[in-house]
Every structure is written in structure tokens, then in C-alpha cells.
Amino acid sequence: ASLFAACWYAVRGLFLSALPFKLINDGSQFVGPTVLKQLLSVVEAKAAASDAGNMAVAVGIQLPDWLMFLHDPLQNGYVLAGLLFLGTATGLLADNQHFQRVMRAGFRLKAVLASEVYRKVLVLPPSERAHLTSGKLFNLVSSDAQTVGDFCQSAFGFLSAPLRIGVTMVLLYKQLGPAAMVAIFCIAAAVPINSKLVKMAAARLQAALRQADTRAKLEAELVAGMEVVKASAWETPFYKRITTARVTELAGLYSVTLIQAVMGILVNAIPTVIPVVTFLAYLLIMKRPLSPAQAFTALSLFNILRFPLFQLPQIVTQATQARVALNRITDLLAASELPAATTAAATIAATAAAATN
């Protein structure tokens, strides 16, 4: 069985219990735009009507029957405002419960992976232990296990981000008609660019992690043989070797940071450019101005679109880092082990020696 399957088995209960809260939070995001359109219709009607009691008829606005149960458009506006608050509050509470569960899953997964790494070290044969330095062991526990645990907090983004983008585009199409296809085109054009940048960042990150292992190995050798290094005056050669490894590691991390910066620029620019281009396309295609209800509703939908567009590349990057970390841990856990009898004998001998001393 794969390590990924074992990790899923360890935290599946928490993840499955968090899924309904995540779906409730995603659904609550669309309560605002849906209610906002009706609320703005009420405001438009009140501003244009000479008689508040006949406001919906005065401007030709047909509000849903379920919103007219108070027979007073002004009171219906208060009801819509209350629904807006209720939807926001429900989404916040559901999001809190979702994060509480996925963070517990991340902490549990980090503890399980660190425990398995330490257990494996105790049963490695000398031939395998020779390839495992203290620096690499430290990186596996402190960095790789932490990376996998942190990914749990955003793992549902693979479900949430496409869902939000899809529902938002459907609602935008209902608001703006064919002009919404411009937004779809802009998003589709950005996907391959982000994918290429993610692959480049993953490759450079893996190379930087290999250099980090090399540097940690050199530092462990230096500390372990400090007396020999001092007696032989080898400080300068060791310093040069460690510095060279560190410079190479930092160069790799710097290139990863630059790629992530470019991704951040694209992610922050796309949600700003899309509304401008889409509204311009609406004016050119539909040949009529936007109403305030259409404009503000579309802007609120674009605001919803901003978060998944910003989140999705980050999730892909975190998933890539978690995959690299899992592969490194898998390489260790897949190594051969000492026979059970040998391990037990060594444990008994160590216990007896400790008791004697």
C-alpha cells in the first residue's frame, strides 16, 4: 500500500466530517450576490416610484412572490438585508468548523509521520543507516512532515476552487449574457501559464532540498569530527564546502521565490483585469448600459472569483511540495529492516546496559 493511502486512512474521519461544513461555506458565498440583486431592485424601485406602496409596479420590477409576503417593499428590503447577514454568519461558522477539523487532521498526520520516521530509524540495518545522515533525518521530521501536515489545511481547495469558479461563471452568464464568455476565456488562458510555472517551481524546490540535505550532512560531519578538524586545521576547506552547498541551496530557493512572485502577480492581476474586460465586452456586445443591480451583482461575483483564482495556484504548489515530501519519506520507509529477533535482542541489551549503569 502507498504512503498516501496510509495517510488518508489516518485522517479520513476528520476530513469526511469537515466536508459538509466546507460545502455549506461555499454555498453561503453565493447568498450575497443572489440577495444583493433583489435588494438593489428594491432600492431602484423606491427611488423611481412616487408611491412606496406601489413601487414594484412603478418601475416594472417583478420581485419573487416569496419576497412580497409582507405586502410592503420597504419591509421586504429589511428581510433581504437580514438574509444577507444570515448567509454571511452561517458561512463564517461553517468555515470555522471546517478549519478546526482539517487543522486537527494536519497535526495528527505530522505526528504520525514523525513517529514512523523515528521508528524506522531504530530498525534500519547498518547498510541502510549509512545513507541516512542526521541532517536528512532532521529535514524529514521538521520540514517534510510539516509540509504534509500543512497541506491538509488547504486540501479541500481542489474541490472548492473549481466549484466556486463554475457556479460563479454560471451566475455571471445569467447577469451579463455572452459577455461572460470573455471572463471564461481569460481564466482558461491563465491555467496553462500557472501550470508551467508550478512545474518549474517544483523542479527547483526538489533540487534545493537535495542541496539542503548535502549541507546538513557536511555540518553533521564537521560537528562529529570537530577534534580532528581542529587538529588538522581543516576549518577552511569545510567552511568552503558548506558555504558552496548553502549558496547553491539559496540560489534554488531564490529561483522558487521568483517564480512564486510571478504567479502572485498573475493571480492578483487576473481578478482585476477580468471585470474591466468583461464590462467592456458587455457594452460592445449588448449595446446597452449596465443597470446598477447588474453592475454591483457582477462585481460581487467577481469578488467571489478572486479568492479561488488566488487560492488554486497556491494549492497546486502546496500539493507539489507535499508530494515531494511524501516521496522523500517513502524512500526511507521503504528501506529494508532488521529481523524482528535482532531488533528485540538489541532492545533488550540496551535496556539491560542502561539498568546496569
Side-chain angles (χ1 to χ4, degrees), residues 193-205 251-267 313-314 317:
I193 299 175
N194 280 332
S195 177
K196 181 66 175 178
L197 292 174
V198 167
K199 291 180 180 178
M200 293 173 58
R204 284 164 173 75
L205 178 63
L253 294 175
Y254 181 71
S255 64
V256 172
T257 304
L258 288 179
I259 294 173
Q260 291 177 345
V262 173
M263 292 172 59
I265 292 173
L266 289 176
V267 167
Q314 287 188 336
T317 302

Side-chain angles (χ1 to χ4, degrees), residues 117-137:
V117 169
Y118 285 131
R119 183 201 64 81
K120 187 69 176 183
V121 170
L122 296 177
V123 296
L124 283 177
S127 59
E128 296 288 347
R129 192 173 299 178
H131 303 290
L132 180 65
T133 63
S134 58
K136 183 176 182 179
L137 176 62

Side-chain angles (χ1 to χ4, degrees), residues 27-46:
S28 68
Q29 302 300 312
F30 301 100
V31 173
T34 303
V35 175
L36 180 63
K37 181 181 178 181
Q38 302 296 337
L39 187 60
L40 290 174
S41 298
V42 172
V43 175
E44 285 182 5
K46 181 171 177 57

Side-chain angles (χ1 to χ4, degrees), residues 122 342-357:
L122 296 177
T342 304
T343 305
T347 303
I348 293 173
T351 304
T356 304
N357 294 334

Side-chain angles (χ1 to χ4, degrees), residues 46-78:
K46 181 171 177 57
S50 57
D51 183 5
N54 197 27
M55 125 173 95
V57 177
V59 294
I61 296 174
Q62 296 297 326
L63 295 178
D65 293 337
W66 66 274
L67 293 177
M68 301 299 294
F69 64 92
L70 294 175
H71 306 290
D72 183 355
L74 185 60
Q75 293 297 325
N76 284 314
Y78 292 140

